[in-house]
Amino acid sequence: QGQAVSYAVAVTTLPVTSAITGTTPVCPNATGVIYSVTNTAGSTYNWAVPAGASITAGQGTNQITVSFGAAGNGTVTVTETGTCGAGNAVTYNVVISAPAAPVVVSPLTYCQNNVALPLTATGISLLWYSTAVGGIGNAAAPIPSTLVAITTDYFVTQTIAGCESPMATITVVINPVPIVIVTSPTICNGAIATMTASGAASYSWSAGATTSGATTATASPAATSSYTVTGTSLGCFATAVSTVTVNYPPIIAVNFPAICNGQSATLTATGNATSYLWSTGATTSSITVSPVTTTSYTITGTTSGCSNSVVSTVTVNSIPVVMVNSQTVCAGTSAVLTATGAATYLWNTGSVSNSIIVTPDSTTTYTVTGTTTGCSSTATGTITVNAMPVANFTPPLTTNVLSPTVNFINLSTNALVWNWDFGDIYSTNNISSLKNPSHEYSQIGTYCVVLTASNGSCVDSAMHCFLLEGVFTFYIPNAFSPNGDGQNDEFFGVGESITSYQITIFDRWGNQVFYGDTLNKHWDGTYMGRVVQEDVYVYIINLKDNHNDDHKYLGSVTVLH
């Protein structure tokens, strides 16, 4: 057995690390947080921190300084290594506890140039930041600017128990105010105006305007009127005013002339129109036309784009066809001139009737103007005056049956034709056209001879009467027989050139049995209704001849049965 050799062995144990001391909970993003264990001489220490945290100092020693991020909970671990090796890892649970972010309302919307209020959040010890990372918080709440249409984020935290919460974001949107443009139409009275808006997303119109589309509205005011349109985009609105100018059609008056066929008429429009257009194409206010029949013309007047039309009718009246007769008359006689074809008349004599009576001394022409509905024409009538013949002849002397032929001497002047009427109803040759004729009369009596002298159209006549006397004679019988046999039944006398006559008959005793005062009164042989007896009777006859000489006859007559 060998000799024992001995070696002194020092037996050491693995390190036993003390518990970790430090802060928990910690605030997110906390820095300078210290964690440590009891130091053992000769030992080294290996630390581990939660994700998001970092060891800023002391790694390998029994004490470290840690900076945390915003990560959630984690574990701080340390492993101590001594001379015999590494001991068991010691852990320390770290709670990263941050207060909740302040309660905010986001987004906030403003319209450009509106008044903005300071931002608000619900929390404790608020701090406001202009950036999401870094920066220095400001306890004063910012007031957003609305001058420019822009979207801006604002950040706010709250601090509770020394821990600052995560940032809450308030997005402030500054929407642009729409620039609303609207048309201002001009219409004529009675028309419908369409107003069109632009520059916004939607529109509303004031009373009186009727929405007719997404961007349009209509109105029909009686006078110039204004309408307000409100345009809205992204909650922001602006207004614009549309003025609908109402113009009125011009007032036009036009004449209605009447002309005679073949004449011209001037049509004149008056009123407040600034331009004119006739149906003829003329653009003047007055035109001259020459229609052949009654015709209507339309004129359209325009003022400020509004038009009005009226119709003028030119009445074309026919010129009357006036006719008047002509006559040939004899000097000293009257003539009637009659005009026809018109409604009214005017003669150069001054007369206004359709017919006039004239007695010219010589051939004369008369003019008449006839008028119908204002249109006139003239006509003439001529009165041709022929010389008047003067009929005359030598009246015959008184003659008798012993000289029955009368020679007529013609004393007429201005005559070419003669017609004689001898006034002899007993003759078959009672007329003659000789200038100086002769005629034989067969009966006693008064004859009126008429001479008609003419020169073709003018006639004159003359009349002279003469007496054809008989030679005075008287006869009376001396007997008669009133017996009714139709022969010599009456007693009477006969004669020529007797102008008055009376007969008285007496019987033998002086009694008057008959009286007659004309040759036509005959005695029928009766007395007091009875036939007288046969006897001799006495008569007395008194008479006058055509020279008014008296004749007396005394005699007797025998009555026989």
Side-chain angles (χ1 to χ4, degrees), residues 318-322 341-343 370-372 375-378:
S318 299
I319 297 176
V321 178
V322 180
T371 302
T372 300
C375 299
S376 302
S377 65
T378 60

Side-chain angles (χ1 to χ4, degrees), residues 23 26-35 52-57 64-70 96 162-163:
T23 301
V26 296
C27 299
N29 302 311
T31 62
V33 179
I34 297 174
Y35 294 93
S54 63
I55 299 170
T56 59
I64 58 173
T65 301
V66 179
S67 293
F68 285 92
I96 301 176
C163 288

Side-chain angles (χ1 to χ4, degrees), residues 314-341:
V314 178
T315 301
V316 179
N317 295 316
S318 299
I319 297 176
V321 178
V322 180
M323 301 181 67
V324 65
N325 61 311
S326 293
Q327 281 187 260
T328 299
V329 299
C330 302
T333 61
S334 298
V336 177
L337 291 178
T338 299
T340 59

Side-chain angles (χ1 to χ4, degrees), residues 57-357:
Q59 179 69 276
T61 69
N62 68 319
Q63 180 178 302
I64 58 173
T65 301
V66 179
S67 293
F68 285 92
N73 298 333
T75 301
V76 175
T77 303
V78 63
T79 301
E80 181 180 351
T81 302
T83 58
C84 287
N88 294 325
V90 177
T91 62
Y92 184 83
N93 291 325
V94 177
V95 175
I96 301 176
S97 177
V103 177
V104 297
V105 176
S106 180
L108 290 178
T109 301
Y110 286 99
C111 294
Q112 188 176 357
N113 296 318
N114 282 5
V115 175
L117 298 175
L119 298 179
T120 62
T122 303
I124 300 172
S125 299
L126 300 177
L127 291 176
W128 297 89
Y129 296 87
S130 60
T131 61
V133 178
I136 298 174
N138 193 331
I143 300 174
S145 172
T146 61
L147 296 178
V148 178
I150 192 172
T151 298
T152 304
D153 289 334
Y154 295 84
F155 308 96
V156 62
T157 65
Q158 68 174 331
T159 300
I160 300 175
C163 288
E164 188 176 5
S165 71
M167 292 181 176
T169 302
I170 299 177
T171 300
V172 177
V173 179
I174 308 299
N175 288 323
V177 175
I179 299 174
V180 178
I181 299 173
V182 66
T183 58
S184 291
T186 297
I187 62 170
C188 299
N189 187 33
I192 297 175
T194 298
M195 299 168 285
T196 301
S198 60
S202 63
Y203 305 91
S204 63
W205 300 84
S206 61
T210 301
T211 301
S212 61
T215 61
T216 59
T218 59
S220 183
T224 297
S225 301
S226 294
Y227 303 89
T228 300
V229 59
T230 300
T232 302
S233 292
L234 301 174
C236 299
F237 65 89
T239 61
V241 176
S242 172
T243 298
V244 177
T245 301
V246 178
N247 292 325
Y248 294 87
I251 298 173
I252 304 172
V254 70
N255 59 324
F256 294 82
I259 62 172
C260 301
N261 192 16
Q263 293 180 339
S264 297
T266 298
L267 302 181
T268 300
T270 58
N272 60 347
T274 56
S275 64
Y276 297 94
L277 176 62
W278 292 87
S279 53
T280 63
T283 57
T284 56
S285 60
S286 295
I287 61 172
T288 300
V289 294
S290 301
V292 297
T293 60
T294 296
T295 304
S296 294
Y297 299 85
T298 300
I299 181 171
T300 300
T302 302
T303 298
S304 300
C306 298
S307 299
N308 186 21
S309 296
V310 295
V311 176
S312 173
T313 298
V314 178
T315 301
V316 179
N317 295 316
S318 299
I319 297 176
V321 178
V322 180
M323 301 181 67
V324 65
N325 61 311
S326 293
Q327 281 187 260
T328 299
V329 299
C330 302
T333 61
S334 298
V336 177
L337 291 178
T338 299
T340 59
T344 61
Y345 302 91
L346 176 62
W347 296 84
N348 60 343
T349 64
S351 175
V352 294
S353 63
N354 68 316
S355 294
I356 60 172
I357 300 175

